[in-house]
Amino acid sequence: MPGGCSRGPAAGDARLRLARLALVLLGWISSSSLTSSATSSTSSASFLASLVSAQPPLLGQCPPPCECSEAARTVKCVNRNLAEVPADLPPYVRNLFLTGNQLSVLPAGAFARRPPLAELAALNLSGSHLKEVRAGAFEHLPSLRQLDLSHNPLWDLSPFAFCDSNASVSTPSPLVELIMNHIVPLTDESQNRSLQNRSFEGIVAAALRAGQALRGLHRLELASNHFLYLPRDILAQLPSLRHLDLRNNSLVSLTYVSFRNLTHLESLHLEDNALKVLHNGTLAELQGLPQVRVFLDNNPWVCDCHMVDMVAWLKETDVVQGKARLTCAFPEKMRNRVLLELNNSDLDCDPILPPSLQTSYVFLGIVLALIGAIFLLVLYLNRKGIKKWMHNIRDACRDHMEGYHYRYEINADPRLTNLSSNSDV
């Protein structure tokens, strides 16, 4: 058939020629001597052995200090006192545990391999004594979704730790979950001195907003880190965030942080902090998030006149979970009172001056103190002239008093009085 795959006489002739050639080769091999046959077999064996030794190592091998499961795509190098990331990690690894080691520093490209670890999705580095994470430390991990850096004494987290080592390249990180709970307090004095001009809150904020690398992040856990405040723009570059955990810190206020751009936020954990009151700006932002759930348990709420707006908001909103459990901690007369049961008449403040008037009096006091200091300085610098002036005044007063005294003596003596009268006559 035209255009089909047909077999004709030409194909048969070709097959016949191939068969004859095979018979000739077979006869040539069979005519060789036994000695040459033995020599040939020995050389062939050595050649095959050399080929086997030249082959690259198997891709599925496991580093000696680790435990590997190819079926589960998991490698565990736990409590092995490793000083660096193993170099011969199998490329099939999807879950890598490097907990309880002595890594100390995570340099740029710490996980760069050939072939690359293209399937690594979950990386756990908790409790590995990490002190420094440098720029580009997690490069060449295109599938990394979950990263746990908890329980490490991090004192130097590069702003580009989650970006490429080349800061000019703005490549988004694949991270979806970032866990940084319970960063161990520093004990080394040299490291403490290096942090004198910066706070851990500022270091974390710089890493979260650098180059918009984490704009795909869904979960961020920063619990138990002794945070006193949240920098204003710490959440500015996390538009996809859905779960934010800030529990068990020392936050006293949320005034400076904005939640406005977190339109996908679903849960906000603020339990076990030092919050005293939430102000109107924060209340409005939380109310504007369509699906957020807020957790506020175990905070020392101060139930005074500044709590009026928050109590009214709590009675109307549905975003606060377990709001019936929220109670007052201060003042003493309001301790353990449920916030939802409070009325405006219960929330009062001690009578104090308005803030504007307080400021005026403080300014007036400062001005008067400055004037007094200048006056005393002038007196001190002119002390000699003032002393001479005081002596002159004293002499003048003494002469004046002596004149009064003389006139008094004349008026008191009758003889001098008659003499004065006769002289007038």
Side-chain angles (χ1 to χ4, degrees), residues 166-301:
N166 184 4
S168 62
V169 179
S170 180
T171 303
S173 170
L175 275 178
V176 174
E177 297 185 15
L178 177 58
I179 304 172
M180 297 177 63
N181 297 329
H182 202 281
I183 301 302
V184 182
L186 298 174
T187 57
D188 191 345
E189 293 184 1
S190 63
Q191 294 171 4
N192 280 324
R193 285 195 296 270
S194 68
L195 282 174
Q196 285 180 353
N197 297 325
R198 53 182 183 157
S199 63
F200 184 66
E201 294 92 335
I203 293 174
V204 173
L208 292 178
R209 65 173 181 259
Q212 298 185 350
L214 298 176
R215 55 179 176 264
L217 198 66
H218 289 179
R219 176 181 292 274
L220 176 61
E221 296 187 13
L222 296 171
S224 304
N225 285 324
H226 305 288
F227 282 176
L228 296 174
Y229 70 101
L230 292 179
R232 187 180 301 273
D233 54 353
I234 188 172
L235 305 174
Q237 304 297 337
L238 306 175
S240 302
L241 200 62
R242 297 179 183 177
H243 306 280
L244 178 59
D245 191 348
L246 294 166
R247 75 185 80 190
N248 197 29
N249 282 289
S250 302
L251 298 174
V252 297
S253 174
L254 300 176
T255 304
Y256 299 106
V257 67
S258 176
F259 302 95
R260 187 178 295 109
N261 67 318
L262 304 181
T263 55
H264 301 286
L265 193 63
E266 297 176 4
S267 65
L268 174 60
H269 289 271
L270 294 166
E271 304 100 307
D272 300 290
N273 275 281
L275 296 173
K276 297 177 176 62
V277 65
L278 299 183
H279 297 287
N280 286 340
T282 303
L283 301 178
E285 288 189 357
L286 294 178
Q287 192 63 39
L289 300 178
Q291 50 193 358
V292 69
R293 294 174 298 152
V294 183
F295 301 85
L296 297 171
D297 298 274
N298 300 324
N299 280 283
W301 304 109

Side-chain angles (χ1 to χ4, degrees), residues 379-397:
L379 290 179
Y380 177 77
L381 295 176
N382 294 277
R383 59 188 182 279
K384 293 182 179 179
I386 292 174
K387 184 177 181 181
K388 183 178 180 180
W389 178 70
M390 292 294 293
H391 284 304
N392 293 337
I393 291 179
R394 184 191 63 185
D395 294 341
C397 289

Side-chain angles (χ1 to χ4, degrees), residues 155-174:
W155 61 272
D156 191 359
L157 179 64
S158 171
F160 302 100
F162 309 111
C163 307
D164 294 332
S165 55
N166 184 4
S168 62
V169 179
S170 180
T171 303
S173 170

